[in-house]
Amino acid sequence: MIPRGGSGGAGPRRRLGAWGFEGETYLPSPQMLAWLQRRIGASSPYPTLDLARLAAPTPQPLPSLPVEQSADALDRLTHARGQGLTDLLRLRGGAVPALPDAVVRPQSAAEVESILRGCAAAGVRVIPWGGGTSVTGGVNVIPGAAPVVSLDLAALTGLQSLDETSQLAVFGAGTSGPAIEAALRERGCTLGHFPQSWELSTLGGWVATRASGQESLGYGDMHHMAAGLELVAPNGRMDLPAFPSSAAGPDLRHLVLGSEGRLGVITRVTVRIRPLPPLVRAAATLLPSWQDGLDAVRALVQQAVPLTLIRLSDEPETETAMAIGLSRHPWVAGLVRGGLRLRGIRGSGCLMLCGAAGDERQVREALERTTAVLRAHGGVGLGTGPGRRWLAERFRHPYLRDALLDRGIATDTLETAAPWSRVPQLADDVRRALSSALAGENEATAVLCHVSHPYRDGASLYFTFFFRCPTDVERAVARWATLKRTATAAIVAGGGTLSHHHGVGSWHAPWFKEEVGEVGVRVLSAAARTLDPTGILNPHVLLDPIDRLEV
Ligand SMILES: Cc1cc2nc3c(=O)[nH]c(=O)nc-3n(C[C@H](O)[C@H](O)[C@H](O)COP(=O)(O)OP(=O)(O)OC[C@H]3O[C@@H](n4cnc5c(N)ncnc54)[C@H](O)[C@@H]3O)c2cc1C
């Protein structure tokens, strides 16, 4: 049994088996619950976390390491899983198949090196742990014979140096989103990387997964921001300095970006930073249809309108946005619908948020140019109120998932990216796959989609799906696995990438070869063997897949 209590520490306590911090919540509105019930039917509450139901097997003996090894049951349990839906289902359902045998927290890159050497010599698996927000099974302990250490980077944190002239900052890899922004804001700067998991995820995790923030249009993705880094592997260290650009052979930073803990532990990252903009403002517009919205997004990006954020929701997502929070007052949604009908728009239309950052004049000019483009595509402006609310609440939205599960509604997300010419068909294919995946069980799925990371040549598609969650953990996980397999097959068949920003992890690994080819896998495996000859680092993530969505 897991003892009550926790590993302590300052600040708000993280919740186990749920998103975020103790005391925080984000409840679905009655309108949203009614909308979901109409689509998927009534459901019974899923079990809540009960520590007494979670068994912690006796840890296997480990070699002596240069740092303290925590064998505390709650600490091990906290590091057993990430934040994917099945991780929460398993924790709440009291059925976690494996725990790390210990958690270690190195204080320096030298300690990381000694831990890796010690573990390699003893055949101990090592899972690098940043914020544990992986939604692809990237930090999950897979049952197996070899012992497992979770290597938590929480102590490798903080701003190490700042080159204001070059706008470069060096941080420890374990630094979280809020800590990075706090350190930079004191100096009038920002990184501008705001994934929805910003409050809990870390710089090392962002690099390891090639993460993308909600303002990627203005600030770029993590692979644009990471200028240099240090990787510590069982077989040595790679220190890749920051250059504005370099023709000195293939860019090895890009071998580390997206390596998901398979090649080594990222201990330090140099990031490109920007002056903190005095103003960030987002305006909302309703487009007559999804296709009008896609055309408008493409026009904005290809005309290089200087926005930092574009987010286009399809009709179902627009309806839920209205139901959750575009307004908590149904009469406002009614008023909007009346206005749309007057302009000949049937249904909800498609909500689009466009954000700009800078001084008052820069923001005004960017939003004026945006309005002109959107009007040409039939857009109806809703002002800046919805955007203000979205910016204020964006990091609270993940709490909604737990509140829905309390009511027996499971929700998960998946994402991809493709060239513009394939985006509409791919969106339809994945929607259809998700909507019909549970037909054999006579179950319905509600599916929402948005575009939130547009580029000149294409865009990411982000799907949110809801289904009735069986109260039995294994049946719930199996239902999710059916949806995940069906949707991933549709993504691959439709010419989308396996992931735009969540990464491959262990759950997408079975499809990785289809994306990069046999030779691509051999090249990456050779790099892994060079850096980690005994294969102790995060086995089965990215490479050497085992089909284990249900684990
Ligand atoms: C609610 C929610 C919202 C999310 N929103 C976004 C989003 O907007 N954009 C986005 O890109 N992702 C998002 N994610 C996914 C997740 O937050 C990202 O993948 C994030 O980059 C993971 O960071 P982390 O520090 O939590 O890494 P972890 O989850 O701890 O690890 C992720 C992977 O990286 C490896 N790793 C971690 N740190 C290191 C290191 N220092 N060295 C080597 N390997 C390491 C791990 O072994 C694992 O394979 C979201 C997840 C959730 C649950």
Side-chain angles (χ1 to χ4, degrees):
M1 298 296 158
I2 306 294
R4 289 179 186 278
S7 40
R13 272 169 58 123
R14 262 183 83 164
R15 302 196 301 170
L16 180 63
W19 179 253
F21 300 105
E22 300 284 356
E24 290 284 335
T25 187
Y26 192 87
L27 296 177
S29 65
Q31 294 94 321
M32 183 186 191
L33 289 173
W35 187 93
L36 283 168
Q37 191 168 342
R38 278 198 301 279
R39 274 150 191 85
I40 63 173
S43 42
S44 310
Y46 190 73
T48 51
L49 183 79
D50 178 2
L51 285 178
R53 278 213 317 265
L54 283 161
T58 309
Q60 295 195 56
L62 293 167
S64 105
L65 295 172
V67 293
E68 194 188 324
Q69 302 176 14
S70 163
D72 172 73
L74 191 59
D75 206 9
R76 290 167 57 214
L77 194 64
T78 305
H79 288 80
R81 310 290 295 198
Q83 284 283 331
L85 174 63
T86 50
D87 302 327
L88 311 185
L89 292 174
R90 290 211 160 278
L91 282 157
R92 289 177 60 152
V96 179
L99 270 60
D101 295 284
V103 179
V104 294
R105 295 180 171 83
Q107 306 286 317
S108 64
E111 284 192 355
V112 172
E113 201 162 13
S114 315
I115 292 168
L116 294 182
R117 290 227 176 98
C119 288
V124 174
R125 291 179 277 166
V126 178
I127 303 181
W129 171 279
T133 65
S134 169
V135 284
T136 58
V139 290
N140 290 2
V141 180
I142 305 304
V148 177
V149 158
S150 177
L151 191 151
D152 186 331
L153 287 137
L156 293 193
T157 186
L159 179 63
Q160 297 179 358
S161 64
L162 182 75
D163 174 350
E164 287 186 48
T165 309
S166 316
Q167 297 188 340
L168 291 170
V170 181
F171 283 94
T175 316
S176 70
I180 288 175
E181 285 302 316
L184 291 178
R185 273 160 203 233
E186 270 179 27
R187 291 150 176 91
C189 299
T190 180
L191 177 60
H193 182 70
F194 301 108
Q196 200 185 40
S197 57
W198 178 75
E199 290 184 317
L200 300 183
S201 51
T202 64
L203 180 55
W206 298 340
V207 172
T209 57
R210 296 179 73 95
S212 190
Q214 291 170 334
E215 293 171 49
S216 65
L217 180 59
Y219 294 97
D221 297 318
M222 195 35 61
H223 56 273
H224 301 112
M225 296 177 183
L229 49 85
E230 179 181 64
L231 180 85
V232 176
N235 219 10
R237 273 195 211 200
M238 269 206 296
D239 192 353
L240 301 172
F243 295 114
S245 185
S246 166
D251 189 341
L252 289 174
R253 285 171 319 137
H254 282 272
L255 189 64
V256 178
L257 279 150
S259 59
E260 302 189 18
R262 262 325 279 266
L263 301 183
V265 177
I266 300 154
T267 49
R268 191 183 66 218
V269 184
T270 306
V271 283
R272 302 189 167 101
I273 57 172
R274 311 273 186 98
L276 184 67
L279 185 64
V280 178
R281 187 178 287 153
T285 306
L286 277 167
L287 277 299
S289 71
W290 173 243
Q291 188 58 55
D292 290 315
L294 291 177
D295 292 342
V297 174
R298 185 164 54 83
L300 287 168
V301 178
Q302 291 181 344
Q303 290 172 31
V305 177
L307 292 170
T308 49
L309 161 87
I310 292 183
R311 193 181 168 95
L312 169 72
S313 298
D314 68 357
E315 283 93 347
E317 190 171 280
T318 302
E319 283 174 27
T320 55
M322 298 268 190
I324 335 178
L326 181 60
S327 169
R328 296 234 166 209
H329 307 290
W331 59 269
V332 175
L335 208 65
V336 170
R337 279 204 191 93
L340 289 179
R341 272 197 298 275
L342 279 178
R343 291 172 190 236
I345 301 176
R346 286 163 176 267
S348 63
C350 288
L351 179 66
M352 186 156 155
L353 287 182
C354 292
D359 61 27
E360 183 69 45
R361 184 186 56 79
Q362 289 168 320
V363 169
R364 195 184 57 248
E365 285 178 6
L367 293 183
E368 279 171 4
R369 277 184 69 188
T370 303
T371 303
V373 172
L374 297 188
R375 280 214 182 112
H377 289 83
V380 179
L382 297 180
T384 51
R388 210 170 22 251
R389 180 164 181 168
W390 183 83
L391 284 168
E393 294 194 345
R394 58 179 162 162
F395 302 126
R396 294 191 54 223
H397 293 157
Y399 289 94
L400 188 58
R401 178 169 59 166
D402 307 305
L404 287 171
L405 202 51
D406 292 343
R407 290 155 179 81
I409 300 165
T411 178
D412 197 13
T413 62
L414 44 88
E415 38 76 55
T416 179
W420 281 116
S421 53
R422 275 198 226 126
V423 163
Q425 186 62 50
L426 183 60
D428 284 351
D429 292 350
V430 179
R431 271 194 206 103
R432 203 171 312 113
L434 282 167
S435 303
S436 59
L438 301 178
E441 298 179 49
N442 266 333
E443 291 289 332
T445 319
V447 186
L448 321 178
C449 177
H450 68 247
V451 161
S452 50
H453 304 279
Y455 305 86
R456 292 184 71 83
D457 54 336
S460 80
L461 288 164
Y462 189 96
F463 300 89
T464 306
F465 54 97
F466 304 85
F467 59 99
R468 290 198 318 158
C469 192
T471 51
D472 171 72
V473 57
E474 298 305 338
R475 285 188 56 221
V477 170
R479 192 168 283 178
W480 167 83
T482 301
L483 284 156
K484 181 82 179 167
R485 282 202 184 91
T486 311
T488 308
I491 285 173
V492 172
T497 174
L498 264 184
S499 170
H500 169 263
H501 57 267
H502 285 164
V504 175
S506 53
W507 294 340
H508 296 147
W511 290 271
F512 185 54
K513 190 159 81 178
E514 286 192 50
E515 180 146 339
V516 301
E518 174 78 41
V519 175
V521 169
R522 285 216 305 269
V523 169
L524 203 51
S525 303
R529 273 196 306 279
T530 302
L531 291 159
D532 174 22
T534 54
I536 56 160
L537 280 165
N538 230 355
H540 310 304
V541 162
L542 199 57
L543 298 165
D544 310 314
I546 50 170
D547 194 354
R548 48 145 194 236
L549 286 181
E550 285 85 356
V551 175

